[in-house]
Amino acid sequence: MAGIFQRISLIFRAKTDKALDKLEDPRETLDYSYQRQLELLQKVRRGVADVATSRKRVELQANGLNTQVDKLTQQAQKALEVGREDLAREALTRRSGVQQQLTDLQTQHAQLQAEEEKLTRASQRLQAKVDAFRTRKETIKATYSAAEAQTRINEAFSGISEEMGDVGLAIQRAEDKTQQMQARAGAIDELLASGALDDPTGTAKDDITRELEQLASTSDVEDELARMKAQLGAGPAGSPQAIEGGGQAPVAQPVQNQTYAPPPPAPSQQPPSQGDLR
Amino acid sequence: MIVRILGEGQWRIEGSGQNELSALDDAVEAAVAADDQEQLAQALQQLHDKVRAVGTEVADDELADSDLILPETDASLDEVRALLNDSDEGLIPS
């Protein structure tokens, strides 16, 4: 029964035993193996830390891309408000590109998280098995002579070398995955840095922002001009009132003096109204 | 019988549960022979589900060799072949 997996299990055992098949005194093998187990525990813990670092990096990048999405949405909104559909379309096109990247990152994040949990569990399992092995090892060393020990030692190795092989493979897989992701993360960092995605701090301005700001300042100028024109329009109609009604005049007068020289009022009327104010 | 799922631990399976696994094993063998990645992933997933359903998890501090070792569900054909390749080096990183 179960041909392929039995084969895998036999080969697996042979491979993992290879590393331990080196020493003369079987009791030394126990100590040697125990050392290897402790080293492997260190390695798997480092593996967990490495995966966690990768995961955090992906989280930071995803935050950066999220900021981009919000910003491009706002840009599209602003562009539409000033009637620039072309700019709005450009912003939305870019947003869909960024969103694609974001989706990829989310997938990577889920994978890294799963990997981290797996390795954490593997490290707990290995720790428990290493502890169990140490107990067996001490018992064997205390109880048996070198000649008697061999069978017991073979028994002691059952399970632990297989676990070591499994953890060894898990570390290898985790390393491969984080390396792949680091390469892709590097590409996103470059995009973020080059301004193609703009940087999340918002210090560098992209072309849409520049254009919108230009539009905004142009429209500020237009607004100001319109306002001034309106005042101008109101000026000639208003000045007679100012001349007539002494109480209203001071409010309108300073502006009129700056932007438009009203026809000089009759000198006889002006001084009293200014005097009233001060 | 003890079954190990690589990267996930060991399960102990008694009695009739063992027979249920054999049929699924054939599916994996066929997938590897046919070079069919999708079929492999499917067959492995079914196997894992079955092992979890009929087996009980082996305690962390129990030391026992497995009778069967199953690759991860996302194992590629190459990875499965590598597991079957006995000329390979040891599995424990040095």
Side-chain angles (χ1 to χ4, degrees):
Chain A
M1 81 150 288
I4 196 169
F5 302 117
Q6 212 158 21
R7 256 190 295 155
I8 289 178
S9 131
L10 291 174
I11 291 161
F12 203 88
R13 210 172 302 166
K15 282 183 197 173
T16 47
D17 286 348
K18 242 187 213 177
L20 307 168
D21 245 9
K22 289 176 182 168
L23 302 163
E24 289 276 309
D25 182 346
R27 286 179 299 184
E28 274 178 42
T29 321
L30 290 172
D31 291 328
Y32 173 73
S33 174
Y34 184 61
Q35 280 311 311
R36 298 298 309 272
Q37 291 164 24
L38 295 180
E39 285 165 24
L40 196 60
L41 260 180
Q42 289 297 316
K43 219 164 247 180
V44 69
R45 288 190 188 129
R46 257 202 312 273
V48 172
D50 287 348
V51 174
T53 307
S54 282
R55 174 180 54 77
K56 283 173 200 153
R57 185 177 180 195
V58 165
E59 278 166 17
L60 281 178
Q61 289 188 323
N63 287 345
L65 291 183
N66 260 322
T67 311
Q68 283 298 316
V69 167
D70 290 348
K71 185 175 160 186
L72 286 165
T73 309
Q74 284 166 12
Q75 285 181 336
Q77 192 70 42
K78 268 188 215 158
L80 272 187
E81 278 164 16
V82 295
R84 285 289 303 272
E85 199 177 319
D86 58 326
L87 263 189
R89 180 169 284 120
E90 174 62 26
L92 290 178
T93 307
R94 285 184 201 177
R95 191 183 73 171
S96 98
V98 175
Q99 245 155 357
Q100 182 58 51
Q101 300 263 18
L102 195 55
T103 310
D104 287 353
L105 272 191
Q106 280 157 351
T107 311
Q108 287 183 37
H109 185 258
Q111 285 175 2
L112 283 173
Q113 211 161 26
E115 202 63 43
E116 196 178 334
E117 279 162 23
K118 255 186 168 180
L119 273 190
T120 306
R121 262 301 281 145
S123 140
Q124 286 167 359
R125 268 198 311 271
L126 184 61
Q127 176 72 68
K129 288 198 189 324
V130 168
D131 290 345
F133 179 86
R134 194 190 57 222
T135 309
R136 276 195 195 183
K137 171 173 88 79
E138 294 312 321
T139 311
I140 290 170
K141 282 171 78 176
T143 319
Y144 299 96
S145 68
E148 293 168 326
Q150 188 63 64
T151 341
R152 303 290 167 177
I153 287 167
N154 289 344
E155 281 169 22
F157 280 131
S158 72
I160 189 77
S161 53
E162 190 182 295
E163 191 71 33
M164 289 169 79
D166 189 354
V167 168
L169 279 181
I171 294 173
Q172 189 60 52
R173 278 174 74 94
E175 270 175 10
D176 290 350
K177 269 187 197 158
T178 45
Q179 257 166 22
Q180 281 170 17
M181 285 179 189
Q182 267 162 6
R184 288 158 79 180
I188 290 186
D189 276 344
E190 264 170 44
L191 273 176
L192 285 167
S194 73
L197 290 174
D198 199 19
D199 78 326
T201 59
T203 44
K205 282 175 186 165
D206 62 277
D207 51 348
I208 295 183
T209 303
R210 273 197 302 271
E211 196 152 348
L212 281 174
E213 280 179 357
Q214 218 159 17
L215 279 172
S217 71
T218 312
S219 85
D220 280 350
V221 170
E222 293 302 325
D223 286 352
E224 184 66 15
L225 277 174
R227 198 170 58 81
M228 288 176 176
K229 278 182 192 160
Q231 276 166 357
L232 265 183
S239 56
Q241 280 179 352
I243 294 162
E244 285 160 23
Q248 290 171 318
V251 182
Q253 215 138 22
V255 178
Q256 283 179 343
N257 285 345
Q258 279 172 357
T259 59
Y260 172 67
S268 59
Q269 282 178 329
Q270 196 65 13
S273 74
Q274 279 177 345
D276 285 347
L277 190 74
R278 284 167 191 164
Chain B
M1 183 176 75
I2 292 177
V3 177
R4 174 181 291 275
I5 298 178
L6 284 181
E8 301 196 16
Q10 293 169 297
W11 279 263
R12 183 170 276 111
I13 297 173
E14 311 291 353
S16 63
Q18 301 182 22
N19 300 331
E20 294 183 53
L21 292 180
S22 321
L24 293 169
D25 182 36
D26 293 343
V28 172
E29 194 128 36
V32 173
D35 231 3
D36 189 333
Q37 180 70 58
E38 202 167 310
Q39 196 192 331
L40 175 70
Q42 253 178 29
L44 284 174
Q45 185 65 58
Q46 283 179 331
L47 258 172
H48 288 202
D49 292 347
K50 182 60 79 184
V51 168
R52 288 199 180 88
V54 301
T56 46
E57 224 170 320
V58 172
D60 283 1
D61 60 355
E62 188 178 333
L63 294 169
D65 276 332
S66 308
D67 301 288
L68 308 176
I69 293 182
L70 313 185
E72 286 103 333
T73 40
D74 61 347
S76 67
L77 284 160
D78 285 344
E79 282 170 317
V80 174
R81 287 203 191 94
L83 286 170
L84 287 165
N85 173 13
D86 52 9
S87 69
D88 211 6
E89 281 302 291
L91 295 171
I92 302 165
S94 48

